[in-house]
């Protein structure tokens, strides 16, 4: 400490407090979504004073005085905007009194329900009790010798897939989160990356859940016949789509033939060895037509030079989450390249055009 100034020490202390209490940011965000605050602000035209916001929320009287503290914290973090305003005073002798008007920021606009870009289900899954309980096992997991099981399995005795297989509430949460992410991503992919689907006549979305992504692709590109492959409990009860077929199966064993195989945020759930097995099945699927097809991967490529510090931070947080859930990872380009070559592919093209994620086109 002798060589560190008092100002540096005090700044370091503030940083430690900020990180040690960082879980409160997550739970404040979780609370805002559960309380419907983004939707309430949207109904108010995108911004509202605290009294106006309170009038639209179903809060008990005993908790209403505390809402200002939740909003202040979320505004400091950039989830909402906060603008100081003067409002007419109720009493005599004072014309106005200071107040704060809270509004939707670009971040919280992604939490407004009813829009194609609503990511609230993703936020609720990431802060769900099953995930949080698993995170509390990380110190114990690091201290345990050997590969063993991931922290999620230590906490719950099974994998997230196992939990979703019998816990209908968790399964619904996962499906809603994956569906909302697919709607959001599909809009961006179709709008900005349509050339990826040029020349295709068929596509199978492996791990495509309820078909949200495949449906968006089929709607935007009617010449592409789309199908979804996923586990039986995932597609059970999924409403039939006119433009999308569903097949129950295990991608480790078989992938239906198509011009293109889509893997959206699938491979980061799996080890390198399993990724090679999955991609080998995908290579076999695209090799059965008159001409060789391609595999389209939507996933993170960590550390791209074009990424901002915020994007990099999001990627390394996602990497920790994958480690906690599956003992898998987010990958840098060299990791991807090794997997691609081992699975028998000859070349690939990475487009870092989707924020935290990239589009990778993979060719045999």
């Amino acid at each position: 400490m002798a060589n560190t100034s008092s100002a540096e020490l005090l700044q370091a202390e503030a940083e430690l407090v900020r990180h040690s209490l960082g879980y409160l940011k997550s739970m404040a965000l979780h609370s805002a979504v559960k309380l419907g605050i983004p939707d309430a602000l949207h109904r108010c035209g995108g911004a509202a004073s605290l009294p106006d916001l309170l009038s639209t929320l179903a809060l008990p009287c005993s908790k209403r005085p505390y809402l200002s503290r939740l909003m202040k914290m979320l505004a400091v973090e950039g989830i909402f905007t906060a603008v100081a305003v003067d409002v007419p005073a109720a009493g005599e002798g004072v014309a106005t009194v200071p107040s704060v008007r809270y509004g939707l920021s670009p971040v919280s606009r992604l939490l407004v329900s009813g829009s194609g870009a609503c990511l609230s289900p993703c936020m609720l899954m990431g802060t769900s009790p099953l995930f949080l309980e698993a995170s509390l096992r990380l110190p114990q997991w690091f201290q345990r010798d050997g590969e063993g099981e991931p922290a999620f399995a230590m906490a719950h005795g099974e994998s997230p897939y196992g939990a979703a297989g019998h816990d209908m509430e968790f399964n619904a949460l996962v499906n809603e989160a994956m569906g909302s992410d697919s709607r959001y991503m599909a809009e961006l992919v179709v709008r900005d990356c349509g050339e990826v689907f040029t020349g295709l006549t068929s596509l199978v979305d492996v791990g495509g859940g309820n078909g949200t992504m495949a449906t968006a692709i089929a709607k935007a590109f009617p010449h592409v016949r789309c199908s979804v492959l996923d586990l039986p409990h995932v597609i059970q009860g999924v409403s039939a789509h006119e433009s999308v077929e569903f097949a129950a199966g295990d991608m480790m064993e078989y992938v239906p033939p198509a011009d293109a195989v889509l893997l959206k945020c699938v491979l980061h759930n799996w080890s390198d060895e399993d990724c090679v097995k999955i991609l080998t099945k995908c290579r076999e699927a695209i090799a059965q037509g008159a001409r060789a097809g391609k595999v389209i991967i939507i996933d993170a490529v960590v550390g791209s030079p074009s990424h901002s510090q915020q994007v990099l931070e999001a990627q390394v947080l996602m990497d920790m989450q994958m480690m906690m859930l599956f003992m898998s990872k987010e990958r840098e380009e060299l990791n991807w390249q090794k997997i691609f070559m081992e699975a028998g592919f000859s070349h690939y093209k990475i487009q870092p055009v989707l924020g935290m994620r990239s589009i990778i086109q993979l060719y045999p």
Side-chain angles (χ1 to χ4, degrees):
M1 290 178 60
N3 296 324
T4 307
S5 70
S6 296
E8 289 173 322
L9 288 171
L10 293 170
Q11 179 63 31
E13 179 196 23
E15 282 290 300
L16 286 176
V17 170
R18 191 169 67 86
H19 287 297
S20 65
L21 299 182
Y23 67 94
L24 290 173
K25 299 180 188 179
S26 299
M27 297 321 298
L29 179 61
H30 184 100
S31 299
V33 172
K34 282 290 201 179
L35 293 172
I37 293 174
D39 289 343
L41 288 172
H42 180 67
R43 290 194 300 269
C44 292
S49 65
L50 195 63
D52 289 341
L53 181 58
L54 280 165
S55 70
T56 69
L57 299 176
L59 280 180
C61 291
S62 61
K63 297 300 187 297
R64 294 167 73 87
Y66 298 99
L67 183 65
S68 62
R69 291 157 68 175
L70 177 67
M71 295 302 296
K72 180 188 293 185
M73 201 217 81
L74 290 170
V76 167
E77 292 299 323
I79 306 299
F80 299 114
T81 62
V83 178
V85 296
D86 291 330
V87 298
E92 297 181 3
V94 180
T96 61
V97 293
S99 183
V100 177
R101 187 171 174 83
Y102 293 101
L104 293 170
S105 70
V107 177
S108 49
R109 288 189 186 279
L110 290 177
L111 302 175
V112 175
S113 61
S115 68
C118 178
L119 295 179
S120 286
C122 297
M123 302 305 103
L124 293 177
M125 182 180 73
T127 54
S128 66
L130 289 181
F131 279 31
L132 295 176
E133 289 163 13
S135 71
L136 294 175
R137 293 297 189 99
L138 281 173
Q140 181 183 350
W141 180 82
F142 271 107
Q143 292 169 337
R144 181 175 291 183
D145 192 21
E147 285 294 317
E149 58 189 5
F152 187 96
M154 283 181 65
H156 305 294
E158 59 188 348
S159 71
Y161 298 127
H166 65 82
D167 184 335
M168 293 301 100
E169 183 177 352
F170 182 62
N171 185 53
L173 178 62
V174 171
N175 285 340
E176 287 171 13
M178 296 301 98
S180 71
D181 182 72
S182 291
R183 282 188 293 275
Y184 167 72
M185 192 54 55
E187 184 176 327
L188 295 176
V189 169
V190 166
R191 185 176 70 191
D192 300 330
C193 311
E195 72 280 359
V196 171
F197 305 100
T198 300
L200 300 180
T201 61
S202 60
L203 177 146
V204 56
D205 185 359
V206 173
N210 62 9
T212 301
M213 190 79 177
T215 301
I217 294 170
K219 182 178 179 181
F221 307 100
H223 61 280
V224 181
R225 186 178 74 256
C226 293
S227 60
V228 170
L229 173 74
D230 217 317
L231 296 171
H233 77 265
V234 174
I235 64 174
Q236 182 179 7
V238 173
S239 301
H241 296 255
E242 292 182 3
S243 55
V244 176
E245 298 177 357
F246 289 84
D250 185 346
M251 62 187 173
M252 292 288 187
E253 299 176 0
Y254 174 73
V255 174
D259 288 347
V261 173
L262 175 64
L263 294 161
K264 185 190 80 68
C265 299
V266 170
L267 297 179
H268 70 170
N269 294 350
W270 298 92
S271 68
D272 289 355
E273 294 77 12
D274 285 333
C275 285
V276 171
K277 293 177 185 177
I278 294 166
L279 287 173
T280 299
K281 295 297 180 184
C282 293
R283 179 173 54 78
E284 294 169 357
I286 62 173
Q288 297 184 33
R291 58 188 178 86
K294 64 181 176 181
V295 176
I296 304 167
I297 299 170
I298 299 177
D299 227 319
V301 180
V302 178
S304 169
S306 63
H307 289 157
S308 67
Q309 182 63 27
Q310 283 181 311
V311 167
L312 178 59
E313 183 178 350
Q315 289 178 330
V316 297
L317 284 170
M318 288 165 56
D319 181 55
M320 286 289 292
Q321 184 184 62
M322 291 301 103
M323 180 188 76
M324 176 188 81
L325 296 176
F326 305 109
M327 286 174 59
S328 59
K329 59 187 174 184
E330 304 293 350
R331 294 176 170 89
E332 298 179 356
E333 182 175 354
L334 286 176
N335 302 132
W336 283 119
Q337 185 182 58
K338 183 175 182 293
I339 290 169
F340 297 159
M341 298 304 108
E342 289 183 8
F345 290 87
S346 63
H347 60 290
Y348 62 91
K349 176 183 177 183
I350 295 177
Q351 297 169 271
V353 293
L354 297 173
M356 298 180 296
R357 292 166 282 199
S358 295
I359 290 183
I360 308 173
Q361 297 181 73
L362 188 54
Y363 303 93

